[in-house]
Amino acid sequence: MIKNIVFDFGGVIVDIDRDKAVQAFIKLGLADADTRLDKYHQTGIFQELEEGKLSADEFRKQLGNLCGRSLTMEETKQAWLGFFNEVNLNKLDYILELRKSYHVYILSNTNPFVMSWACSPDFSSRKKPLNDYCDKLYLSYQVGHTKPAPEIFDYMVNDCNIIPSETLFVDDGASNIQIGKGLGFETFQPKNGEDWREKMTVILK
């Protein structure tokens, strides 16, 4: 019986637009943004930021070096926000309904730039931050590991004291789903951009 639901953030709760993000970083001056940015798993300084190995300010400085000019925190943040399209309020309302019957958690590969937006009233036109939609956020840069590393799953399981077999893990990344299954979670892999609410209702029945 499912008692807990764990959502990925980008690609599930909010749609991801990698091409838009690539263009945003190119505008900053990062000519090879297309080879550096990935929908699911970053590399180089982008990965180090998401693993918490670089602070936001250290990342800004190193990105500035790659771009050949100094960048502001706001410029850097806006480039990261290029990944996201407008937030779908129907999904957020659905998640609030789920919270009446289930514990809801978010497990995300992300960084302080994205979360400074998501965990603020600017997140959506409802003026409610992301943390209002879940019991707790588990963020890669705070935990020190990114999915699909088992360590980030283990951290969450131990911290919120859940049983994987009683937990539905929802993620659009195939490698993340594969690890989740291996760790004993029930899984659901919607496509990025999909309205998954009906499918999820069926799964939870």
Side-chain angles (χ1 to χ4, degrees), residues 28 49 55-61 70-80 112-113 116:
L28 281 189
L49 178 68
S55 70
D57 196 49
E58 287 165 340
F59 175 83
R60 175 190 66 82
K61 287 174 186 164
S70 62
L71 302 172
T72 66
M73 291 295 272
E74 186 59 25
E75 278 180 304
T76 310
K77 175 182 171 179
Q78 289 307 317
W80 273 108
F113 294 103
S116 67

Side-chain angles (χ1 to χ4, degrees), residues 54-157:
L54 284 180
S55 70
D57 196 49
E58 287 165 340
F59 175 83
R60 175 190 66 82
K61 287 174 186 164
Q62 291 202 28
L63 182 64
N65 291 340
L66 293 173
C67 293
R69 67 185 185 92
S70 62
L71 302 172
T72 66
M73 291 295 272
E74 186 59 25
E75 278 180 304
T76 310
K77 175 182 171 179
Q78 289 307 317
W80 273 108
L81 295 188
F83 266 109
F84 303 102
N85 291 322
E86 190 176 346
V87 176
N88 184 329
L89 297 177
N90 293 327
K91 288 181 181 177
L92 295 180
D93 291 344
Y94 182 84
I95 292 169
L96 282 182
E97 281 300 308
L98 289 176
R99 289 195 72 196
K100 295 174 182 176
S101 307
Y102 304 92
H103 294 293
V104 173
Y105 304 97
I106 292 168
L107 180 68
S108 177
N109 289 354
T110 188
N111 64 70
F113 294 103
V114 170
M115 284 297 128
S116 67
W117 159 69
C119 294
S120 80
D122 296 333
F123 174 54
S124 79
S125 55
R126 290 264 195 275
K127 299 298 177 193
K128 285 163 70 86
L130 179 64
N131 34 313
D132 278 8
Y133 294 92
C134 65
D135 293 52
K136 192 162 182 181
L137 291 157
Y138 291 94
L139 309 174
S140 61
Y141 71 97
Q142 293 175 343
V143 176
H145 296 280
T146 52
K147 295 176 292 183
E151 289 88 349
I152 192 168
F153 292 90
D154 293 343
Y155 181 92
M156 175 185 68
V157 166

Side-chain angles (χ1 to χ4, degrees), residues 161-202:
N161 201 24
I162 59 174
I163 298 168
S165 61
E166 296 176 349
T167 306
L168 179 65
F169 172 53
V170 186
D171 198 297
D172 64 321
S175 56
N176 299 337
I177 287 290
Q178 194 176 352
I179 288 289
K181 275 183 182 161
L183 294 171
F185 290 87
E186 295 295 320
T187 60
F188 169 39
Q189 186 185 354
K191 292 186 178 73
N192 176 43
E194 176 184 352
D195 186 348
W196 38 258
R197 291 174 296 157
E198 280 188 23
K199 284 185 186 172
M200 188 140 178
T201 300
V202 171

Side-chain angles (χ1 to χ4, degrees), residues 34-68:
D34 192 37
T35 61
R36 289 180 181 271
L37 293 173
D38 189 78
K39 262 186 190 172
Y40 302 110
H41 210 266
Q42 305 303 344
T43 58
I45 62 168
F46 293 86
Q47 175 69 4
E48 288 174 22
L49 178 68
E50 297 209 329
E51 287 182 342
K53 290 174 180 167
L54 284 180
S55 70
D57 196 49
E58 287 165 340
F59 175 83
R60 175 190 66 82
K61 287 174 186 164
Q62 291 202 28
L63 182 64
N65 291 340
L66 293 173
C67 293

